[in-house]
Amino acid sequence: MNIRFDNAGVDYGKRTALYPLSLTLQERRIGIIGLNGSGKTTFARLINGLVKPTTGSVTVNGVDTVTDAAKVLGTVGYIFQSPQNQIILPIVRDDIAFGLKARGYDKAQIEAAVESVLGRFGVSHLAARRAHELSGGELQMAALCSVLVTGPDILILDEPTNQLDLKNRALVQKTIAGLPESVIVISHDLPLLEDFERVLLFDQGRLVADAAAAEAIARYRELAA
Ligand SMILES: Nc1ncnc2c1ncn2[C@@H]1O[C@H](COP(=O)(O)OP(=O)(O)OP(=O)(O)O)[C@@H](O)[C@H]1O
Ligand SMILES: [Mg+2]
């Protein structure tokens, strides 16, 4: 994985959500922390092209997120802060299949891939359930399956343990630890990021720390005090 920010910044009208910054991300586990409204989601959305930089550019494995947006979307999987917002079809199995249909897979290939991804995360029992009836943790797992089934190289999780109980939190943590993909996690759940190689701390739209987890988390605690 090679994500490059080259003087990339984001303004929403007159408000600057992210001041221009330049950096390269290559680590397999990257955390993003900071107070509410500090620019974390904006930063992450630049990576898959959901947000376009107002200044500068962002590339993923050399591909520009603006001029080659479709290619970037195929490389970067993104699980939203509220996963219910990304469920498209009512039944879990159909929702997971949706992204594969769009990629031109045939019926047998789709069925095999859906069963395989559900099995990989131990949630085959959710296949026939209605997505809107799932619990928060079940929904988080279903959203993970829907995104990973398409085979992204990089996965971005925006507050994946938000509102989860201890058991589901542990399940999501274990799942993240076992993923072969590169993972970028935005979280207010600091212990989740404790063993991450690199953690970025944002404050009021500025990157104020870029360090190993322990150091960045300590800086965050000072800032929030
Ligand atoms: N679409 C938008 N239009 C206008 N302002 C926006 C938009 N999206 C975000 N902002 C503003 O940009 C700033 C950064 O928002 P962002 O969602 O990146 O914060 P965050 O760090 O993810 O916060 P949280 O921890 O609450 O999720 C905030 O002030 C927010 O109000
Ligand atoms: Mg956010």
Side-chain angles (χ1 to χ4, degrees):
M1 167 179 96
N2 187 305
I3 297 169
R4 230 186 110 165
F5 282 66
D6 188 2
N7 200 38
V10 177
D11 296 335
Y12 292 114
K14 282 184 186 153
R15 178 187 294 125
T16 298
L18 193 70
Y19 289 88
L21 82 171
S22 298
L23 53 76
T24 302
L25 304 176
Q26 289 178 309
E27 295 75 10
R28 279 192 66 245
R29 295 290 180 264
I30 294 173
I32 301 178
I33 59 176
L35 300 174
N36 292 134
S38 56
K40 304 180 299 295
T41 296
T42 302
F43 176 83
R45 287 182 166 216
L46 277 172
I47 299 171
N48 78 336
L50 274 182
V51 166
K52 312 282 180 216
T54 314
T55 59
S57 64
V58 179
T59 57
V60 177
N61 297 338
V63 179
D64 189 281
T65 60
V66 174
T67 58
D68 217 344
K71 196 163 176 199
V72 169
L73 276 177
T75 307
V76 184
Y78 196 107
I79 298 182
F80 295 174
Q81 198 158 350
S82 310
Q84 57 272 25
N85 294 344
Q86 71 192 94
I87 301 290
I88 295 161
L89 294 174
I91 304 297
V92 169
R93 159 188 300 125
D94 300 337
D95 190 72
I96 297 173
F98 182 83
L100 298 176
K101 273 190 193 142
R103 283 171 169 78
Y105 284 50
D106 69 29
K107 200 162 173 277
Q109 285 174 318
I110 291 174
E111 272 173 24
V114 171
E115 292 314 314
S116 159
V117 78
L118 285 165
R120 176 178 168 198
F121 295 112
V123 288
S124 301
H125 58 285
L126 299 181
R129 296 282 307 275
R130 296 192 158 273
H132 77 270
E133 290 172 357
L134 298 182
S135 75
E138 290 168 341
L139 188 65
Q140 200 65 253
M141 299 309 287
L144 199 58
C145 289
S146 292
V147 170
L148 285 177
V149 77
T150 63
D153 298 329
I154 300 164
L155 183 66
I156 301 178
L157 301 161
D158 196 345
E159 301 192 10
T161 59
N162 207 3
Q163 295 184 328
L164 298 193
D165 67 23
L166 275 179
K167 193 171 169 211
N168 278 323
R169 182 194 171 284
L171 181 60
V172 167
Q173 181 166 33
K174 195 171 136 234
T175 303
I176 292 171
L179 290 173
E181 290 84 359
S182 295
V183 186
I184 299 172
V185 182
I186 304 173
S187 192
H188 296 291
D189 174 358
L190 302 176
L192 184 69
L193 311 176
E194 250 163 20
D195 59 358
F196 278 29
E197 297 162 78
R198 184 172 178 188
V199 173
L200 310 180
L201 169 64
F202 287 92
D203 184 35
Q204 298 181 53
R206 288 192 167 83
L207 178 64
V208 295
D210 178 354
E215 189 186 332
I217 290 170
R219 290 279 301 280
Y220 182 35
R221 290 192 196 285
E222 282 166 27
L223 190 149

